[in-house]
Structure formats: structure tokens, C-alpha cells
Amino acid sequence: MTRVAVVGATGAVGRTMLALLRERDFPAEEIVAFATPRSEGIEVDGLTVRALTADQDLSGFDIALFSAGAGTSREWASKFVDAGATVIDNSSAFRGDPDVPLVVSEVNPHALERHRGLIANPNCSTMQMVVALAPIHRAVGIERLVVSTYQSVSGTGKAAVDELDNQARASLHGMEMPAPEIYPEPIAFNVIGAAGNFAEGDDHTDEERKMMFETRKILEDQSIGVAVTCVRVPVRVSHSESVNVQTREPISPEEVRELLSAAPGIALGELPTPLKATDRDEVFVGRIRRDESHPRAFSMWIVSDNLRKGAATNAVQIAELLVGARKAAEVA
């Protein structure tokens, strides 16, 4: 059996990780929930949260699932690794490190073979897209992507969901909306054409930069052109994406549908929506159609629950792969 730590257990993704470990009947002898000292003693999914402090004993854990932000990951991930755990980190802290595998369970599980105790989970928008792109890239190669995301507010955290709800409630009751605190503009009944933050001197947001870099790293092809616009929309959960794919060899929409229908983790549908995708682990793909402006291009619409497959589900799936590999090694 396996002993598991969940760091950041009181956040939206951490809570989802705990729920998924239970739902998927993960073979854990013990699951320990960690968070900041201010959350110590809180009950989450039947577990009492422990404070992550300097005097905390980290020994004896086989796997540690992290979803507490990049700062916490940079401070604590190496400590768990040094104590003997394999860390699966959901933050942006290690995704760019060439020595840390960036893994999507259906796409590049082979990358786990080179981990040194630390594995990175991709950005949620990248995650759902590459699940749909990988079968196509393997079959005909991808030359260029043009992507527009429609990202839900839960990707920013619970405070952003509360901001959306409070602004919408006020507006629907004929009151003045509360001033935005999380986003630069009101999000209720609005669309903000730049999801993420701008680094000084950069006209792309960090969300856009993540998708560019991570897509190439996961698909193991630095030659893919990636143009991205990340947008925040007034949706609680589940990200949507419009993706135009230019391939190296011709492929028809019918052939794309055939490839995706046989691919793991994908649900084909005519018109996926965030409401249909929420609380589901699949990546929903629809509106696959020929791009009449280019002989080797097509467009599609991709929707997935950003808290589940976009974060927690993939982390748990990676943990399942690690346990499976360990059992196989023991049998051998």
C-alpha cells in the first residue's frame, strides 16, 4: 500500500484531489492533508488538515500531490523528495526545468521513466488541448496551432468565483456591481481579453507563454508554431478552447474524428459546453471542421473541467501510473 500527502488540501484543486483519490479507490494505506497553519484542524473530505511547518515529519510518504502555488512548491517539494517521496506538482514552479518531466497521462507517460523524484503537471489549458492534439500529431504531424482560450474563473481560485457570483448577483438585482478586486475589469457579463499576467516588456500573458512552451515540451516537438490568445470569461468551471490545427500531412475531419474516437480520455460531441464538462474527467471535443482557407488545416472546439482533468485528475492518474510501475517491478 501507498502513503500519500496532499499539499494545499484546502484549495479547490486540493479538495478535488482528495475526492478523486477516494472516488478512484486509490490504493493508499494513508492519505494526509497538509495546508498552511491557519487551516490546521479543518476537516476536508473526512481528513483533519495538518499544518505544513518546519517541525513537520515528512518521512514515510511515497507520493506527495502538490497544489498550493509555485512558492510553496519551491520551498517544500525538494524537502518531500529528500524524505523519500515522489512529488507530483500542479504549480508552474518546475514545468520549465528540462530535468523535470511535464506529463499528461494519456500523452507522454513514458516521460515518467526519467523522473528524479519530481514530476510537473501542465497548465490546465495546455492539458486539455494536448490530449486532443497528441493522436493527430502522431498520425500526421502538427506544423502550427492558432488557439483562443475561454477560461473559467475557477482557474484563478475561489476568490475569483466569489467575485463573479457577487457581481452577477448585484447586477441581476439592479444594484451597482462591487468593484473588481481579482481581475482588472468586472467579470460578470463581461469578457476580459487577457487571461493571466503580463511580465514587464512582454505583450503576451504568462498563461499564453505557458501554453506555447508546454505544448512543445509535452508533444516533444520544438518546431510546432503556437499562437495563443488567453481570455477570461464569466464561467465558474471548465475551460473552452478554439483550436485551429495546421498539419504537416493532409488529414480530413472524418479521419480526425476516427483518430479521436479511439484515443483515451476523449469524448466526442457535436457541441461541448462547460456545463456538460463540469465534474467530468474527459476532454470533450466537437465542431471538427475543415479550414477552407488552408489545404492542411482544420478547426475544433475543446472543453474540459479545469479543476479535474486540468489539474487534479491528471495528478492522480500520474500517481496511479507510478503505483502500477512499482507493482510491475516487484513482480518482475
Side-chain angles (χ1 to χ4, degrees), residues 79-108:
K79 296 176 182 178
F80 273 87
V81 172
D82 290 344
T86 298
V87 170
I88 304 168
D89 180 46
N90 193 53
S91 81
S92 61
F94 307 107
R95 294 171 186 161
D97 189 329
D99 294 325
V100 176
L102 184 64
V103 178
V104 177
S105 61
E106 299 92 342
V107 176
N108 61 335

Side-chain angles (χ1 to χ4, degrees), residues 121-283:
N121 223 24
N123 175 271
C124 46
S125 298
T126 307
M127 179 96 67
Q128 66 189 65
M129 185 174 71
V130 297
V131 171
L133 291 179
I136 299 158
H137 187 52
R138 294 189 194 107
V140 294
I142 292 174
E143 191 169 275
R144 185 170 187 257
L145 302 167
V146 181
V147 184
S148 294
T149 71
Y150 303 75
Q151 295 179 217
S152 66
V153 296
S154 58
T156 309
K158 183 180 183 300
V161 178
D162 292 342
E163 181 158 293
L164 168 62
D165 289 347
N166 292 336
Q167 289 174 353
R169 189 178 301 111
S171 180
L172 290 170
H173 285 83
M175 299 182 291
E176 184 178 351
M177 281 191 194
E181 297 180 4
I182 305 301
Y183 298 119
E185 300 287 341
I187 185 61
F189 308 106
N190 201 13
V191 170
I192 301 174
N197 302 300
F198 291 96
E200 186 175 354
D202 195 350
D203 57 1
H204 285 76
T205 69
D206 54 356
E207 288 284 306
E208 292 159 352
R209 290 294 181 193
K210 290 172 192 174
M211 290 195 73
M212 294 174 191
F213 171 82
E214 293 174 17
T215 298
R216 298 183 186 110
K217 182 173 180 179
I218 295 164
L219 295 180
E220 299 172 339
D221 188 343
Q222 293 300 312
S223 70
I224 299 173
V226 186
V228 186
T229 301
C230 289
V231 177
R232 192 71 64 184
V233 296
V235 171
R236 288 192 182 97
V237 180
S238 293
H239 292 349
S240 305
E241 297 170 343
S242 170
V243 183
N244 181 270
V245 185
Q246 183 176 319
T247 57
R248 300 188 188 281
E249 300 173 23
I251 188 170
S252 69
E254 293 74 24
E255 290 171 318
V256 172
R257 292 188 192 97
E258 185 177 352
L259 279 173
L260 296 185
S261 67
I266 291 176
L268 287 179
E270 286 303 313
L271 188 59
T273 68
L275 288 179
K276 291 177 182 176
T278 297
D279 293 329
R280 299 280 296 272
D281 291 321
E282 304 96 323
V283 172

